[in-house]
Amino acid sequence: MKRFNRSIVYIFATFTACVLCDMAVARTLVVDNGSANAADSNAGTATAPLKSISEAARLAEPGDTVLVKAGVYRERVAPERGGTKEQPIRYVAESGQGVFVKGSEVLDGGWHVSKDTSDVWAVELKSSLFGDYTPFEIPRAAKFPDFVEWSEQHSLGQVFVDGMLLVQVLDVAQLNTTPGTWFKGKEGATLQVHFSAGSSPETSLVEVSVRERIFAPRKRGLGYITVEGFVFEHCANQYPKNFWMAVESAQAGAVGCGSGHHWVIQNNVIRYANTVGLDCGSETGKKLHGEPIPTVNAVGYHVIRNNVIEDNGCTGITGWMHRGTQITGNVIQRNNRLGIMSWETAGIKLHGFYDGVIKDNLIRDNDAWGIWLDNVYKGSRIEGNVIISNLWGGVFLEMGNGPLV
């Protein structure tokens, strides 16, 4: 009996030690690029914070929290790994502090006044600004039945002056007569911007989009990740033309779950993506990053709640082939800002949406459908939403026989 009791004590002690060990491993990695001593070689403590969210994403293990202090972070965050049900990895913006993660860089030198008008300024877009992704050289994908051949007229570039998005025009004559516009020819690297009266690059913050994604893993299928409290903006992503069979235009939001599962995306602002704000499905029906096509049961189960998703060029939320996703309590407004008269345009556009819920959202003023479910929506529910002032129908159901409530 004594031997038995000693065995029980040993097992209990070993179990307790393992639990305590797991608890000790969980860390809070602090990111604060406004701190004078911030560096990505630091330990990520309050007194020795990391400088980039990307470095924290490289280090984060299951159970860790990445706490991001106030500031503007111009980077692509690509989580290296996911968490577990018991130990998710959490990316959290410090409450009420204003944490902006941007797909843009600042243009702050080399400007000169155009010879045609004093309100038009020009600058050379240096290749060092972009790396291996140059949105101003990439045509926007087109897809019938668009009324305009977008691919020959518009790029993926975006220009912001003091936070306001300017409009791309197609010739210098239109640029010279229209304040709040920009033009770049197909040849050369010169960007021309028509500033509003009284403003100039000498008195204004000028930003240009340079990144294809803002927060999205490169690895497919990561799970149990929480993203909370950020402002994500200025993504230069592509229109998802034939996404189900074209890897180069796979569904790719400014924020993306990467064919993952059990993400919690809450209390964020996602805005001014060139096309898609948030993607939450399987992305494409092809291998991606060398990784196989996931099964529908492996993707989804996300909670997407209490976000503001607005002013994106094509779609607010999109997702293809996913199960059990809950989209609740969001404000989804003014999407399809580009006025693309084709598919994949809506406040919420989902394909292969199994056993999901779209509930208690405010969906308004989208230049498209409010909610568009396409090609299977079996076992899903749409309830309790306010859907008003969208260009087309509030709810459009296409190519599916349900059951759907």
Side-chain angles (χ1 to χ4, degrees):
M1 180 63 69
K2 289 181 180 179
R3 181 179 299 173
F4 176 77
N5 288 341
R6 284 197 299 270
S7 298
I8 293 294
V9 170
Y10 174 78
I11 292 170
F12 178 76
T14 302
F15 172 77
T16 302
C18 289
V19 170
L20 291 175
C21 179
D22 286 344
M23 290 173 63
V25 168
R27 302 165 294 176
T28 295
L29 296 168
V30 179
V31 182
D32 184 3
N33 68 1
S35 172
N37 64 332
D40 282 344
S41 57
N42 285 344
T45 64
T47 55
L50 298 168
K51 191 167 187 177
S52 71
I53 307 171
S54 298
E55 179 62 14
R58 189 184 71 82
L59 296 173
E61 299 283 350
D64 288 348
T65 295
V66 175
L67 177 63
V68 185
K69 299 283 188 173
V72 175
Y73 297 81
R74 299 184 187 275
E75 55 182 299
R76 154 78 182 270
V77 182
E80 286 282 326
R81 59 193 64 82
T84 66
K85 182 178 181 180
E86 293 77 19
Q87 292 187 303
I89 297 177
R90 301 175 66 240
Y91 295 82
V92 180
E94 189 173 46
S95 178
Q97 294 300 304
V99 181
F100 296 82
V101 189
K102 297 194 178 191
S104 61
E105 294 289 341
V106 176
L107 284 179
D108 59 0
W111 290 90
H112 59 275
V113 178
S114 167
K115 62 182 179 181
D116 298 313
T117 170
S118 61
D119 289 329
V120 175
W121 293 67
V123 67
E124 296 298 308
L125 295 174
K126 297 179 180 179
S127 58
S128 59
L129 191 67
F130 302 102
D132 59 359
Y133 186 77
T134 309
F136 290 86
E137 302 294 338
I138 302 173
R140 186 188 308 150
K143 185 175 176 64
F144 178 85
D146 245 338
F147 299 157
V148 177
E149 183 55 42
W150 298 99
S151 62
E152 292 187 2
Q153 299 181 340
H154 294 80
S155 73
L156 303 185
Q158 295 183 107
V159 179
F160 300 85
V161 174
D162 293 330
M164 298 297 295
L165 175 65
L166 304 192
V167 177
Q168 181 183 4
V169 294
L170 307 178
D171 58 65
V172 174
Q174 189 177 6
L175 172 78
N176 289 338
T177 58
T178 314
T181 61
W182 64 270
F183 170 79
K184 181 189 173 299
K186 292 183 179 179
E187 303 298 328
T190 301
L191 171 71
Q192 298 182 69
V193 176
H194 192 155
F195 288 81
S196 300
S199 67
S200 74
E202 296 175 340
T203 59
S204 302
L205 174 66
V206 183
E207 301 166 284
V208 293
S209 295
V210 302
R211 295 179 188 86
E212 184 179 14
R213 315 295 297 279
I214 300 179
F215 191 107
R218 292 183 174 90
K219 296 179 179 179
R220 214 170 186 183
L222 301 184
Y224 296 103
I225 292 175
T226 293
V227 183
E228 180 174 356
F230 296 89
V231 178
F232 298 104
E233 59 185 7
H234 301 178
C235 180
N237 49 358
Q238 180 60 279
Y239 172 72
K241 176 183 178 180
N242 298 335
F243 66 87
W244 57 91
M245 63 180 182
V247 172
E248 64 275 9
S249 55
Q251 289 183 346
V255 178
C257 301
S259 301
H261 59 93
H262 295 95
W263 286 46
V264 177
I265 300 173
Q266 60 186 8
N267 303 322
N268 304 285
V269 176
I270 304 173
R271 64 190 182 194
Y272 293 120
N274 190 55
T275 54
V276 175
L278 168 66
D279 74 88
C280 58
S282 298
E283 304 169 276
T284 180
K286 299 291 183 179
K287 284 188 176 182
L288 192 61
H289 315 306
E291 297 177 6
I293 307 164
T295 65
V296 67
N297 290 333
V299 180
Y301 314 99
H302 306 303
V303 175
I304 301 168
R305 64 187 171 204
N306 301 338
N307 304 282
V308 176
I309 302 176
E310 62 186 8
D311 296 305
N312 298 293
C314 176
T315 309
I317 301 175
T318 193
W320 179 72
M321 298 299 286
H322 54 124
R323 187 180 294 277
T325 296
Q326 300 180 43
I327 302 172
T328 63
N330 304 280
V331 176
I332 301 171
Q333 59 190 2
R334 300 189 303 273
N335 296 288
N336 197 25
R337 172 183 39 75
L338 293 173
I340 298 174
M341 304 295 289
S342 188
W343 300 300
E344 322 318 337
T345 56
I348 301 173
K349 174 68 189 288
L350 305 175
H351 301 73
F353 184 52
Y354 292 86
D355 301 324
V357 175
I358 302 173
K359 182 177 180 181
D360 296 340
N361 302 283
L362 173 58
I363 304 171
R364 65 183 176 191
D365 301 324
N366 296 284
D367 199 16
W369 305 97
I371 299 171
W372 183 353
L373 302 187
D374 185 4
N375 202 349
V376 185
Y377 31 81
K378 185 176 181 179
S380 294
R381 300 178 66 88
I382 302 173
E383 58 179 311
N385 303 282
V386 175
I387 309 174
I388 56 174
S389 299
N390 301 287
L391 176 63
W392 301 322
V395 179
F396 176 30
L397 307 178
E398 180 186 4
M399 291 179 63
N401 59 2
L404 173 79
V405 178

